[in-house]
Amino acid sequence: MWAVQILLALIGLSAGIAVAGGLFAFIVELGVVADFADRTHTGDKVLFYESCAAAGGIVGNIFYVFQIDLPTGAWFLAVYGILAGIFAGCWAMALAEILNVFPVFLRRTKVVRYLTVLIISLALGKGLGACLFFFKGW
């Protein structure tokens, strides 16, 4: 019985390591970290930034798997939500940039004149959707 449990634990751990490694390799391949380092003129610290991204994923998984509670209040939840939203938005924009979604979309719809209005509408729609999702119970 113990041998089966140990085997399942090793398989689960191996699969988790493979998936996490693939995810962080995908983030690095998209160029999110390198692009931020380039824009902030700190290109000499790219390896440090990539190590911090990997460490954040590892620590986050440890907190999730072992259900570690942090003695923080609602302010931490707000800060975490903002930072997680920035991360997800940057990742989505990097993926869209790599796939050339916006140039193809703009060329086909001929919306170049109203590009500013389109971007502001997308941002407002995303913000309104998030507000409706999070505040629907209040």
Side-chain angles (χ1 to χ4, degrees), residues 21 28 30 32 39 45 53 67 70 73 80-81 86 105-106 108 110 118 120 136-137:
V28 170
L30 282 178
V32 174
R39 289 179 191 215
K45 296 179 177 59
Q67 297 179 358
L70 293 175
Y80 176 79
I86 290 171
F105 174 74
L106 294 175
R108 291 196 179 176
K110 299 180 175 114
L118 176 70
I120 290 173
K136 69 180 179 180

Side-chain angles (χ1 to χ4, degrees), residues 86-110:
I86 290 171
F87 173 76
C90 290
W91 196 24
M93 291 305 294
L95 182 59
E97 184 179 323
I98 293 297
L99 298 177
N100 293 325
V101 170
F102 293 113
V104 171
F105 174 74
L106 294 175
R107 188 172 47 245
R108 291 196 179 176
T109 58
K110 299 180 175 114

